[in-house]
Amino acid sequence: MDPTVRGRATPWAPAALVLTATLLAAGCSGQPGAGPEPTATESSAAPHGYVEGAREAAEEQSRLLLGDPDTGASRVLDLVTGEVQQTAPVPDATRLTTDGRFGFYHTARDARVVDGGSWTVDHGDHVHYYRAAIRDVGALPADHGAEIRSDAAVTAVTGRDGRTGLYDRTELEQGGIRPLRTLGGTHAGAVVPYAEHLVALTGDDDSAQVTVYDREGGRVATPDATCVRPRGDAVTRRGVVLGCADGALLVRAENGTFTADRIPYGRDVPEKERAAAFRHRAGSDTLTAPAGERAVWVLDVTDRTWTRVDTGPVLAANTAGEGALLLVLESDGALHGYDIATGRHASRTKTLLTGAGEGPTDASGPAVEVDRSRAYVNDRAGRRVYEIDYNDDLRVARSFDLDIEPGLMAETGR
């Protein structure tokens, strides 16, 4: 079931990245003068970065989780080896989300969990990349509109009724599902694990208060900030971003204290042009969101500024971060690149989507996933995924032919 790889294949990660990751791994393996890492027979302590059942690598181990909404078939495409693995079917899945390792196939009954078997652990001054077996984990109780967010310890499932269940994420890593507790109260939008706490908006859609809980469910902070008609959230290095009617709130933890700072649009924005669903590269502080049908918002969390970029009709958007192009998949079926600072149209690909322009795109339509060196676009009707080198004039580096229609796509390994 390997895909057909078309075009000029290029190495997935530059040699410099591999060398850098290797040096970083070596740099965190011990203190100066400590000597070589002891073997298992010399010490009972596991080496730094050791994860049981996983293999550490020198580069990102990116994989794409893919689902066919019509048949329920699902696949995992390994972007390092080019191999495709079949996973358990998920009939009636309408959405696919991820926390960087696990994929959550959302249905009307539950959320089916697939371990993508690849992830990144970021220690700030260095990172570790891992790969392990791909496997089906089971189902989380979740309604059709549930929002699922995770950190290394906790997975939070917030239903449409605002109730939130907490699950042991370390148990997911072992292939099981273990509920921890139900968080008290009701919440507007997703409950987001962050800085060993839980960031939530308590109240209703008209006016919600920022509230911070500990992992036991105890309320520890209520920063003086409200969010009107909350929509969308994202975790960045700078903190948690919560989308609101007048812009966004940035919730941060510093020296054990939580604060919430407002990042306003700076002008009146109609409801239909609000940023309501953020996309960004993992580890980046630059977020994107459609601004109506023919523009995209770019939120620079570091500078706390919004930029509206006028585009063609938007199907999906993303960016690699500061200094990179804004990537916009438009209704002509091509991926377009825009300079964020000037709004200038910089480049475009050939038409990537089969049957582009024939009609509106449904909820399982195309996506743009972005990692450290590539972007990925799923062509549902064409049964194909494209790999784009966004640092090389949006060159199509590879394409992968599949045996399903990949209407659902999410990237793991980040």
Side-chain angles (χ1 to χ4, degrees), residues 50 53 84 173 200 237 251 260 319 322 325 336 382 396 405:
Y50 171 78
V84 176
E173 296 170 3
R237 291 180 181 271
V251 181
T319 184
E322 183 180 1
L325 291 175
H336 296 252
V396 177
E405 294 187 4

Side-chain angles (χ1 to χ4, degrees), residues 291-313:
E293 297 179 353
R294 301 183 64 89
V296 175
W297 286 113
V298 179
L299 173 57
D300 186 323
V301 181
T302 302
D303 291 342
R304 303 188 189 185
T305 57
W306 292 91
T307 302
R308 187 180 188 274
V309 179
D310 292 323
T311 65

Side-chain angles (χ1 to χ4, degrees), residues 61-256:
Q61 299 298 294
S62 295
R63 291 170 173 169
L64 292 178
L65 306 184
L66 304 163
D68 187 328
D70 290 336
T71 67
S74 64
R75 304 285 186 268
V76 179
L77 168 59
D78 191 315
L79 294 167
V80 177
T81 66
E83 297 176 348
V84 176
Q85 180 171 321
Q86 180 175 326
T87 49
V90 189
D92 304 321
T94 57
R95 285 192 298 145
L96 172 59
T97 59
T98 183
D99 63 6
R101 172 173 177 174
F102 296 96
F104 305 101
Y105 287 86
H106 296 254
T107 75
R109 304 172 303 280
D110 52 34
R112 197 75 187 182
V113 185
V114 173
D115 185 349
S118 60
W119 67 97
T120 297
V121 177
D122 189 344
H123 288 300
D125 61 341
H126 67 279
V127 294
H128 296 273
Y129 305 109
Y130 297 99
R131 61 186 294 122
I134 300 164
R135 59 183 171 183
D136 181 69
V137 176
L140 286 169
D143 59 42
H144 178 67
E147 300 291 349
I148 302 176
R149 306 290 186 268
S150 299
D151 64 7
V154 174
T155 294
V157 181
T158 306
R160 285 179 296 178
D161 61 1
R163 305 291 292 178
T164 300
L166 303 180
Y167 295 83
D168 185 346
R169 190 175 184 274
T170 62
E171 188 68 21
L172 293 183
E173 296 170 3
Q174 303 304 314
I177 293 176
R178 184 170 75 90
L180 295 174
R181 62 190 57 84
T182 298
L183 199 61
T186 58
H187 306 97
V191 172
V192 182
Y194 164 70
E196 300 183 0
H197 288 75
L198 303 165
V199 174
L201 288 166
T202 56
D204 56 34
D205 193 58
D206 290 332
S207 183
Q209 170 73 43
V210 175
T211 305
V212 181
Y213 300 90
D214 61 27
R215 285 174 174 167
E216 301 301 315
R219 185 174 300 197
V220 298
T222 53
D224 185 18
T226 57
C227 183
V228 176
R229 296 190 298 279
R231 298 286 187 278
D233 58 271
V235 178
T236 73
R237 291 180 181 271
R238 304 285 177 177
V240 178
V241 174
L242 304 172
C244 307
D246 61 350
L249 290 174
L250 175 62
V251 181
R252 298 183 299 156
E254 187 172 357
N255 299 323

